[in-house]
Amino acid sequence: MTESLTSQGRALIPTPRQVEVDDIAAPIELDAPALQGDGVAGGWRRVLRDLDPRAVEGPKGVLAILCLTSLFLRIDDAAIGVVLPQVRAEFGVSIAFFGVVSSLVGLLALALQIPFGYLADRVQRVWLLRIGTIATAATVTLQGTVGSVTGLAGARLANGVGQGVAQPASFPLLSDWFPRSGRTRVFGIYFAAAQLGLIIGPVTAGVLGEAFGWRVALLVLGGAATAVAFLTFLLREPVRGRYDRPDALSAPPPPPPRFAESYRAAASISTLRRCWYATPLLNARGVFTFIVLPFFLFDVYGLSIAQLGVVQTVNGLMGLIGLLFAGAVGDRLLTARPGRFMVAMGLAAAAQAAVIVLISTRPPVLVAIVCIQVVVVVEQALQPAFYSLISVVVPSRIRGLGLAAQAPWQLLGLIAAPALLAAVQGVGIERGLLLFVPVLLLAGLILGSGAAGVERDIRAARAADAAEDVLRAARESGATPLLVCRDVQVAYGGVQVLFGVDLEVARGEVVALVGTNGAGKSTLLRALNGTVEPSGGAIFFDDQDTTHQAPYLIAREGIVTMPGGAAVFAGLTVAENLRTAAAAPHEAESSFTTEDVLDLFPDLRARLNASAGSLSGGEQQMLGLCQALLMSPTLLLVDELSLGLAPAVVEQLLGVLRRLNEQGTTIILVEQSLNVALTIADRAVFMEKGEIRFDGPTEQLLSRPDLVRSIFLGGASGGTRSAVRQSDTASSVAAALEVKDLAVSFGGVAALRGVSLEVGLGEVVGIIGPNGAGKTTLFDLISGFTTPDRGQVLLSGVDLTSASPDERARAGMCRSFQSARLFPALTVRENIATSLERKAVRNPLLAAVWAPPVRTAERRIDRQVDRLIDLLGLDAYADATLSELSTGTRRAVDMACVIALEPVVLLLDEPSSGLAQAESEALGPLLSRIVRETGCGMLLIEHDLPLVTVLSDRLVAMESGTVLVEGAPHDVRSDPRVLASYLAASDDVVQRSGRLGALASMLESADEIVFPTPHE
């Protein structure tokens, strides 16, 4: 059985020859006659053609030089092993000495692979090949001249250095010298030359050593190898990525990525990771073949030393035969579905495990040897395709490090080998053979189960090359985009969220990223800023590949994110937040100072020493934008600018963004309200189900009602207008909630000053007001989360001022928070059932035996859960976990849980927060239906003026902790004091869920709107 490649600093995994990956990777054309058979003669003709350099597509002279160097270097490797007895006799060293030196040589070669693999992506690789090859050959000659043990050890270690320098450059060079359609054949020829060297080497060294001594043998063989190594000076550096990028010959490659990005990019390739994981396990092959098997054949079967030599020679010959068939086998396995090759590699490891089991039963010696040879042939026939696989799944810009990055895993296998041998010795060699079986089966499982990811990795590699092509083409036309995304894919815990997103953003552009909840907008921003690493595709920013860069490096290069609702450090003061942002390292000097941003938002200057967590929502958004400005963004990513903000604050923030854009900053704005987003952006990108369905001018988006409108909450067609209530009945309803003179202060600052209001059964009362007016504080006092300084809270006439929140909930006062507080690991059905838990039988003994009362209660709860799911249109999500749902769907589940508590009064804090505009419009009919069917009273805080206006019977406007105006919605909205304090903004900002011009008239005139089924 041939030596495992893991013991030589390489790995045993294969690759695809032809893959069709949409428009990113063109299929690899194969030679049709090569796949046609005409019997045994035809098969041998194909084998000979595979080995004929003239049949190789690419530079034949290059292949001839590489094969010669490979042949002579492997002859030298084998020669040293043969003459070791003579070396030992001359220097008087032990076998253990040679073992330690050999281990150090292997470790040194492995240790150098990662740094020189990284270097191979940045310098001319032919020089690494020349230096490493000549050094490896010359050290063999040097060993023939040493006069001491120290010199001998130094020469052997220098040999390891040569291997570590040359190897990381060899295979990336082959990938750029030869096209994909011929690489498997090229690697087969290359490995066959090395295998031939292993066969010729022992005989040559034995003859020369016996006749002239070991020094002459090493001088002759090393001198010949050195002379051949100088042929590498005839080689010329190929264009990097020549056969992977169509315009590679006409344009220079982009700057190579940093080491951290290169390694992260390599680690993101699932096929490569599986090769890494399997490498230390596959090292057991070499341990079994070269250490355990000879002892087993000697002890159990009684083979002599000469017979063992014959077996090893046969192993070498059979390995050569396997390599002869490698090209044809690779073509057949990799033509249609490249993932099949991973399965084949997994089966090869399992086959070796089966052979070990068979050998452990002590069959006739010829049967055992034949079985071993079959496995040898299979292994070597699959071996060359691994390097073709790497050349396809690893982007050309990191191919050197991609190949070398498995060195630590090879090192792990070398370290584990002594422990495995000790275990074999401990149980006896016959039973010890079986210890290799689970190791090889696990390796086979790791490889074989990776079939599904091969094509995805090929697609990702081609996407990276395609993004580089886009940048080159744009550069030649004089209009280089600032941001290029190609085939970006993101998955959370195995659930894919983004499906091949392509996006280009020009410098100075403002792009509105809009779409339904769960469309993947925020996920795309996280992929751009590095907080989520894409599972596929490529992202280039300012000509730099940032796909796998660390977030802090991406921020340093100019991509700054302002996350909606979570942009500040709550435990720090305002001044400390600003200092933190100003102290962050930047590539460019910021055009804004702390004084500049405080001039933009004077309200923050008065609160510099207040904690950020004590600020209102609008003030926190202001502070978050200040931090972003201080970080000198080249590309500013804004996520949910208007989340929970009053119209006046939104208008102020939009003004700052316009000014920033005028100074040259590019902006991508994720915004649920189309009205708000399109007031600043000229270009809109509409996302749905993780894909981009529209990319173009905003005017064209407004003419696409099938995109702008999305049915979400069941039965909501018609928007909020259908939710208009009759306010003239409000005065006749019974009081459900009474709030009398509530007041509270924090740190001497009055947050609420004597607020009184009432909510009747079946009545909806809306609360509006600027951020910091005390609306949420009022809810905290009503629901019992904050204790008032004075005042009363009465529910159905009962004083609950001193009651705890859970006591108030049991009495019928139910509250929904702005951020839905549910159980993310439970399904929708389980979350709703949890809210009905108080109706379950609480006796644990009855529950343990599932007594009839328990069954009856559970059936009753199930029926109520089904009714609530139907009421809120959640049938499609009933069995999905909360973590899989969008913000809007979670909001609907939250509503169902609150309704399950059978509320007397329902407190809703920003129910439209985080909902897409169409979903906000559909929310009104839903809330109206809840009030109508449950008869509860509803107290509603909402910044969406169209929604709260059409839904409410009465409006309460608050400012600075007091009630400013109370009355009919139209009267409150038209009050001059409300206009001055709250509605001082453009109509588009105020009308967040209002309909937009031509779109509104089109939708209202249509009898029915039919939406296309989104592409899954």
Side-chain angles (χ1 to χ4, degrees), residues 104-404:
L104 290 176
V105 170
L107 293 175
L108 187 59
L110 286 176
L112 292 174
Q113 283 193 35
I114 288 184
F116 279 97
Y118 175 65
L119 191 62
D121 293 324
R122 318 182 82 80
V123 301
Q124 286 199 355
R125 294 160 293 179
V126 290
W127 277 105
L128 295 181
L129 180 66
R130 292 164 183 166
I131 294 171
T133 303
I134 293 173
T136 304
T139 54
V140 177
T141 307
L142 181 62
Q143 290 173 66
T145 63
V146 295
S148 66
V149 174
T150 303
L152 179 65
R156 290 295 298 146
L157 293 176
N159 186 275
V161 172
Q163 295 179 40
V165 172
Q167 188 168 303
S170 303
F171 297 105
L173 280 170
L174 282 170
S175 298
D176 288 334
W177 268 320
F178 299 95
R180 287 177 287 176
S181 58
R183 284 178 195 163
T184 304
R185 180 183 301 174
V186 166
F187 286 128
I189 296 174
Y190 182 75
F191 289 135
Q195 189 70 20
L196 187 61
L198 289 176
I199 297 172
I200 297 175
V203 177
T204 306
V207 172
L208 291 175
E210 186 70 26
F212 305 106
W214 68 274
R215 291 183 181 275
V216 173
L218 294 183
L219 287 171
V220 171
L221 294 176
T226 303
V228 170
F230 274 99
L231 294 176
T232 56
F233 280 92
L234 300 176
L235 303 177
R236 294 294 177 262
E237 177 77 15
V239 175
R240 204 178 298 267
R242 175 179 182 180
Y243 295 105
D244 301 292
R245 300 190 304 270
D247 63 345
L249 295 175
S250 60
R258 300 183 181 93
F259 179 84
E261 294 91 80
S262 297
Y263 189 84
R264 289 182 66 185
S268 71
I269 303 171
S270 63
T271 304
L272 195 56
R273 288 200 309 271
R274 288 182 179 273
C275 296
W276 294 350
Y277 303 156
T279 292
L281 301 173
L282 292 175
N283 187 67
R285 287 175 167 174
V287 175
F288 171 78
T289 301
F290 292 98
I291 300 178
V292 176
L293 183 60
F295 279 109
F296 181 81
L297 295 176
F298 183 83
D299 294 342
V300 176
Y301 287 101
L303 268 63
S304 65
I305 298 298
Q307 290 172 326
L308 289 176
V310 172
V311 171
Q312 295 287 16
T313 302
V314 172
N315 284 351
L317 291 172
M318 296 305 294
L320 179 60
I321 293 174
L323 289 170
L324 299 183
F325 286 95
V329 171
D331 287 346
R332 290 183 180 275
L333 283 175
L334 304 174
T335 298
R337 295 190 301 273
R340 293 184 305 177
F341 194 82
M342 294 292 285
V343 175
M345 286 300 301
L347 292 176
Q352 184 161 18
V355 168
I356 292 174
V357 172
L358 176 63
I359 294 175
S360 68
T361 63
R362 301 181 62 179
V365 64
L366 290 179
V367 173
I369 292 175
V370 168
C371 291
I372 293 170
Q373 306 312 316
V374 171
V375 174
V376 167
V377 172
V378 172
E379 288 177 7
Q380 296 291 38
L382 297 176
Q383 171 185 314
F386 163 68
Y387 298 94
S388 295
L389 176 64
I390 298 302
S391 70
V392 177
V393 301
V394 178
S396 57
R397 66 189 185 281
I398 62 163
R399 201 167 278 158
L401 183 65
L403 275 165

Side-chain angles (χ1 to χ4, degrees), residues 792-821:
Q792 286 182 297
V793 177
L794 290 83
L795 183 68
S796 299
V798 179
D799 189 349
L800 298 179
T801 309
S802 59
S804 64
D806 60 297
E807 291 172 339
R808 300 186 194 205
R810 282 193 291 270
M813 183 184 295
C814 302
R815 178 181 179 180
S816 173
F817 292 84
Q818 182 175 337
S819 177
R821 301 182 181 183

